[in-house]
Amino acid sequence: MENKIAIAITGASGSIYAKLLLDKLQAMPEQYQEIGIVMSKNAKEVWKTELGNEEYDQYPFRYFEKYDFNAPFASGSAKYNIMIVAPCSMGTLGRIAAGVSDDLVTRAADVVLKERRKLILMVRETPYNLIHIKNMETVTLAGGIICPATPSFYSNPQTIEEVAATVVDRVLDLAGLEQASYRWGSRP
């Protein structure tokens, strides 16, 4: 239970990914010590539009404002070892790639990278332009993990939630958290 996880939710489309991630994390409290969440104003608007509710702050985690640089994960000394940005807008990706720490999301990502800890960006855009690709390359070279919000269909998902969960499950695997999910080659 040594994991301390920062979750950033940006204004990119894909609030279902953030919701499922928070749902799944809530169901595995033995795998983390702390979870801190920062959510942009645009992310709240997109959540309301896409999910039809304002339940983004109903989870039993600590919430921080976008410009709260007193949040623990704004410093490496707090030892947050995992940061997940889900979904990650291309603007956020670009600021992280350029080292622009102008808010808590980008500052925390900078901290995670400088401390050589795990940064997972669930990028959500299509198609990619060359700037997006170069930014993904820069973050990858700096030690981050780019995990596009690209679902898989091996598990024969039947609902939109099951489709989105294929991406969230992959992110949780990348974070090193244990979970029961579909595994290639396994029998149903």
Side-chain angles (χ1 to χ4, degrees):
M1 184 160 97
E2 307 221 353
N3 290 316
K4 291 184 178 182
I5 305 170
I7 305 291
I9 305 170
T10 73
S13 179
S15 297
I16 191 169
Y17 295 114
K19 180 190 182 310
L20 290 173
L21 177 63
L22 297 179
D23 289 345
K24 286 178 180 264
L25 287 169
Q26 186 176 359
M28 55 175 72
E30 69 285 351
Q31 294 195 52
Y32 55 82
Q33 182 179 354
E34 280 183 52
I35 291 185
I37 298 174
V38 58
M39 189 173 188
S40 71
K41 181 180 175 188
N42 286 345
K44 293 174 184 177
E45 290 301 317
V46 172
W47 184 297
K48 286 190 280 188
T49 299
E50 293 182 348
L51 301 179
N53 65 57
E54 296 181 39
E55 297 173 3
Y56 42 78
D57 61 358
Q58 301 301 307
Y59 293 89
F61 307 130
R62 291 179 67 190
Y63 287 80
F64 299 90
E65 294 298 318
K66 184 176 177 180
Y67 295 101
D68 183 357
F69 289 97
N70 289 315
F73 46 91
S75 171
S77 66
K79 295 195 172 190
Y80 272 69
N81 60 314
I82 301 166
M83 180 174 183
I84 301 168
V85 184
C88 182
S89 68
M90 288 297 124
T92 301
L93 168 69
R95 288 187 294 282
I96 292 169
V100 177
S101 298
D102 63 346
D103 65 14
L104 181 55
V105 174
T106 54
R107 170 60 188 165
D110 188 47
V111 166
V112 169
L113 289 174
K114 81 179 181 68
E115 298 289 335
R116 305 296 191 262
R117 296 177 183 150
K118 198 167 282 191
L119 174 64
I120 303 165
L121 305 182
M122 185 193 291
V123 295
R124 226 301 310 141
E125 186 62 80
T126 191
Y128 299 136
N129 67 38
L130 185 57
I131 295 167
H132 301 154
I133 293 166
K134 294 269 187 193
N135 286 337
M136 286 187 263
E137 176 188 37
T138 298
V139 169
T140 300
L141 291 171
I145 299 170
I146 303 298
C147 184
T150 306
S152 66
F153 298 92
Y154 306 120
S155 60
N156 195 23
Q158 300 298 302
T159 66
I160 192 166
E161 289 80 12
E162 289 175 354
V163 170
T166 66
V167 178
V168 173
D169 289 345
R170 189 70 178 112
V171 166
L172 291 171
D173 282 349
L174 290 167
L177 302 175
E178 295 298 323
Q179 60 166 329
S181 65
Y182 177 82
R183 303 293 175 193
W184 180 253
S186 64
R187 301 248 184 236

